[in-house]
Amino acid sequence: MNKKTISLILLIIFVISLVLTVANVFLQDNINDENQNGTLTINNTTIHYEKSGKCLDVIDGNTIQVYSVGRVQLSQVGVPDSEPGLSQAKKFVEDKCLGKTVYLDIDDKQPKDKYGRTLAIVYTDSDDINKGLLENNLAKISYFEPSEFKKGKV
């Protein structure tokens, strides 16, 4: 083998190691919190959640991808189907959730929608994302039944 081949092999090994290290750091969840029932306190309110995981992607303003859970549809909120509201809602959720641990209060009466997405109210360490979308006029209440959540109470 010549020096170019050896250098290329070492570069490939380095790049693969770097990618795996970055992926591991990004996907690493706190093992004590992942997929366990628990409580969280936000603004002096105790929140109960069924699952937690790292938000890997924001699909749109009310759908996220959560490590170890899959796609999650934010329950009881509907975002606009057109611009500029669509991108504003997505940006809000990205700023609050992307790369962070999210906590899911999964709808006990309808845990999945017809597309197989988990239906939940989504929290971070400091925010109720569903409520934040509504309070910032980035979404409207989109109530459906059956649901454990009361109409207008997100």
Side-chain angles (χ1 to χ4, degrees), residues 28-38 49 52 101 103:
Q28 185 66 39
D29 274 321
N30 184 338
I31 298 205
N32 294 329
D33 288 339
E34 185 174 303
N35 292 323
Q36 294 180 355
N37 289 332
Y49 64 90
S52 65
T101 298
Y103 304 90

Side-chain angles (χ1 to χ4, degrees), residues 34-129:
E34 185 174 303
N35 292 323
Q36 294 180 355
N37 289 332
T39 58
L40 182 67
T41 302
I42 300 175
N43 298 327
N44 296 322
T45 302
T46 301
I47 308 300
H48 299 278
Y49 64 90
E50 287 86 19
K51 292 193 177 199
S52 65
K54 187 83 63 184
C55 177
L56 302 176
D57 191 18
V58 176
I59 311 305
D60 58 35
N62 61 349
T63 309
I64 61 176
Q65 183 77 24
V66 178
Y67 180 69
S68 77
V69 177
R71 287 213 174 169
V72 176
Q73 179 74 27
L74 279 69
S75 186
Q76 310 300 336
V77 295
V79 297
D81 293 331
S82 59
E83 296 300 340
L86 182 64
S87 59
Q88 290 172 340
K90 182 176 181 180
K91 173 97 172 86
F92 176 85
V93 176
E94 285 174 340
D95 290 346
K96 297 288 186 180
C97 297
L98 191 59
K100 299 176 184 169
T101 298
V102 293
Y103 304 90
L104 309 176
D105 181 0
I106 298 171
D107 191 330
D108 294 335
K109 292 188 178 176
Q110 188 175 343
K112 300 246 183 207
D113 68 6
K114 65 183 179 181
Y115 303 108
R117 298 174 295 195
T118 300
L119 293 168
I121 302 215
V122 177
Y123 302 94
T124 62
D125 288 328
S126 59
D127 293 298
D128 177 334
I129 304 306

Side-chain angles (χ1 to χ4, degrees), residues 20-29 54:
L20 291 174
T21 300
V22 169
N24 187 44
V25 168
F26 187 73
L27 296 176
Q28 185 66 39
D29 274 321
K54 187 83 63 184

